[in-house]
Amino acid sequence: MTTNKTDVKHTDHINLYEAHEWKHPTQVAGVTWKNPVGTASGTFQYAAVRWFYDVSQLGAVSTKGCSPVPWEGNPSPRTAEGPASNINAVGLQNPGVDHYLEDDLPKLKKAGATVVANVAGHCDDDYAAVVAKLADSDADMLEINVSCPNVTHGGMSVGTDPVALAKLMDRLRPMTDKPMIIKLTPNVTDITVPARAAVEHGADALSMINTLLGMRINIRTGEPIIANTTGGVSGPAVLPMGLAAVYRTRTALPDIPIIGIGGVDSGEKALEYLYAGANAVEVGAAALFDPVAPLRVARELDDLLDDRPELAAKLAAGETWR
């Protein structure tokens, strides 16, 4: 890690990494990412990470899901540890889309970030209300979260039903010209089924996977540790499932841009996703214990791609390994 204590940006913090000249960009649905690494929605908070690194150095920043009005999320306890994993049931707590437009998005754009605005909802009307407000915003891309396992309506209930997903896309797609990413759940028998429904009804890209459904039991009480009973499993343990989902979807849908998510905590693991057929990756759970993980992974991957010119050239052209 390179420290440069003279590189003070945005007036009041010190970046742990100096500015980097990125060598290997990628293309996701026509949007250029300066490198193939972004943040995974729900694990990024600008107010916190700005103390550690310059967010404009990332390929993209996928922000916390926005709902039409503020959501308080689920009761606590919200998290538990699992083997090589984290289990959470935060429940998409967020201050709402109006706050996002007034505060978070302007700050990120002022900092020079490529921004993927994540859209959350309990029903089709919720999703539509948020997309309507983001349609002409400064966000570079929209990511429709139809895969959260920690809400009682919307979220995963849409992502597991290709008919419901198609209906939602038919409503959202005409509302904006912004590139639209659909974030898919692994909690299905065949992820290519909702993936195909999303693409056939207007998705410009797919991101996968969101968390798997899991739980822990308190053996002193015999009751679930998490108040919500179950939560979403993320972290190193989910890497094989994420890779399989990307590989299978790339095989079924050879032309759709794919962002790989799940278990990425090093440049080597990011590279696995690119070889599986992803155009880019997002770093999630790793950032919860290592705030600079997204940028560290990006730096590691940039060096790894030096020795893989064929893969690097494909990514820069908006193509993939498979």
Side-chain angles (χ1 to χ4, degrees), residues 110-175:
K110 183 179 180 180
T114 297
V115 179
V116 179
N118 187 278
V119 178
H122 284 143
C123 61
D124 287 9
D125 287 346
D126 282 355
Y127 287 107
V130 177
V131 170
K133 291 192 173 184
L134 294 174
D136 297 317
S137 71
D138 289 334
D140 297 280
M141 311 178 81
L142 304 184
E143 183 178 49
I144 313 302
N145 183 2
V146 295
S147 51
C148 178
N150 304 317
V151 291
T152 55
H153 303 287
M156 192 174 74
S157 65
V158 177
T160 57
D161 183 346
V163 175
L165 179 54
K167 178 184 174 184
L168 176 63
M169 285 301 300
D170 286 344
R171 182 169 179 183
L172 300 184
R173 182 67 277 178
M175 297 178 66

Side-chain angles (χ1 to χ4, degrees), residues 84-130:
S85 61
N86 171 73
I87 307 168
N88 89 85
V90 173
L92 296 173
Q93 177 180 340
N94 76 98
V97 66
D98 290 336
H99 179 274
Y100 181 77
L101 288 168
E102 294 168 5
D103 187 86
D104 300 302
L105 182 58
K107 288 179 180 176
L108 287 167
K109 295 305 296 182
K110 183 179 180 180
T114 297
V115 179
V116 179
N118 187 278
V119 178
H122 284 143
C123 61
D124 287 9
D125 287 346
D126 282 355
Y127 287 107
V130 177

Side-chain angles (χ1 to χ4, degrees), residues 34-230:
K34 57 177 63 72
N35 59 70
V37 180
T39 62
S41 176
T43 62
F44 174 87
Q45 184 185 34
Y46 177 63
V49 303
R50 71 185 183 89
W51 295 98
F52 301 104
Y53 64 84
D54 178 359
V55 297
S56 72
Q57 290 280 295
L58 291 172
V61 172
S62 184
T63 50
K64 180 72 175 174
C66 289
S67 54
V69 296
W71 285 358
E72 294 184 0
N74 291 326
S76 60
R78 294 175 165 186
T79 63
E81 292 185 4
S85 61
N86 171 73
I87 307 168
N88 89 85
V90 173
L92 296 173
Q93 177 180 340
N94 76 98
V97 66
D98 290 336
H99 179 274
Y100 181 77
L101 288 168
E102 294 168 5
D103 187 86
D104 300 302
L105 182 58
K107 288 179 180 176
L108 287 167
K109 295 305 296 182
K110 183 179 180 180
T114 297
V115 179
V116 179
N118 187 278
V119 178
H122 284 143
C123 61
D124 287 9
D125 287 346
D126 282 355
Y127 287 107
V130 177
V131 170
K133 291 192 173 184
L134 294 174
D136 297 317
S137 71
D138 289 334
D140 297 280
M141 311 178 81
L142 304 184
E143 183 178 49
I144 313 302
N145 183 2
V146 295
S147 51
C148 178
N150 304 317
V151 291
T152 55
H153 303 287
M156 192 174 74
S157 65
V158 177
T160 57
D161 183 346
V163 175
L165 179 54
K167 178 184 174 184
L168 176 63
M169 285 301 300
D170 286 344
R171 182 169 179 183
L172 300 184
R173 182 67 277 178
M175 297 178 66
T176 181
D177 293 329
K178 290 188 183 297
M180 191 173 290
I181 306 162
I182 303 302
K183 188 169 186 176
L184 294 174
T185 177
N187 298 299
V188 291
T189 302
D190 183 355
I191 198 169
T192 68
V193 174
R196 189 178 298 279
V199 172
E200 290 179 349
H201 290 262
D204 299 295
L206 304 170
S207 59
M208 64 184 72
I209 55 176
N210 206 326
T211 54
L212 292 101
L213 194 64
M215 68 183 300
R216 294 299 305 276
I217 299 289
N218 183 333
I219 60 173
R220 292 185 297 275
T221 65
E223 298 301 321
I225 293 175
I226 293 176
N228 193 60
T229 303
T230 60

Side-chain angles (χ1 to χ4, degrees), residues 24-28 33 35-38 239 242-243 246-247 250 258-261 264 266-282 297-298 300-302 304-306 308 310-316 319-322:
H24 305 298
T26 192
Q27 297 279 332
V28 180
W33 292 22
N35 59 70
V37 180
L239 174 71
L243 288 169
V246 169
Y247 188 95
R250 171 58 64 223
I258 298 174
I259 303 168
I261 313 170
V264 179
S266 68
E268 289 84 358
K269 290 177 182 174
L271 189 59
E272 287 193 60
Y273 272 103
L274 300 183
Y275 278 133
N279 300 71
V281 301
E282 291 178 357
V297 170
E300 292 171 359
L301 180 61
D302 206 44
L304 288 167
L305 287 172
D306 286 345
R308 295 161 174 84
E310 185 179 357
L311 173 58
K314 285 180 177 292
L315 295 171
E319 301 171 359
T320 63
W321 184 253
R322 301 201 174 276

